[in-house]
Amino acid sequence: MTEIEKEIIQIKFLLEKIEGIIDSRLIGEEDPEVDEIKEIIDFERRKKAGELELNEI
């Protein structure tokens, strides 16, 4: 598997986690888990550092 494919899989996983968090927040069912908060912080850090490039589908 190429490095790009691995990164795409990681981005997809993070986006799915974020989508789940957003959905639960809109519904107001539960507070975010500790691992979810860590993933969001890491995602935001990587995005700010320019390590991620998000493209509309």
Side-chain angles (χ1 to χ4, degrees), residues 12-35:
K12 184 177 178 184
F13 174 77
L14 290 174
L15 290 175
E16 288 172 355
K17 291 270 284 190
I18 291 170
E19 182 181 31
I21 293 168
I22 290 170
D23 287 345
S24 66
R25 288 295 190 151
L26 290 174
I27 297 171
E29 292 179 6
E30 58 189 59
D31 292 331
E33 305 270 333
V34 174
D35 65 326

Side-chain angles (χ1 to χ4, degrees), residues 3 5-15 46:
E3 189 65 31
E5 290 172 325
K6 290 178 185 177
E7 287 187 35
I8 290 171
I9 290 169
Q10 288 177 333
I11 291 168
K12 184 177 178 184
F13 174 77
L14 290 174
L15 290 175
R46 291 176 64 195

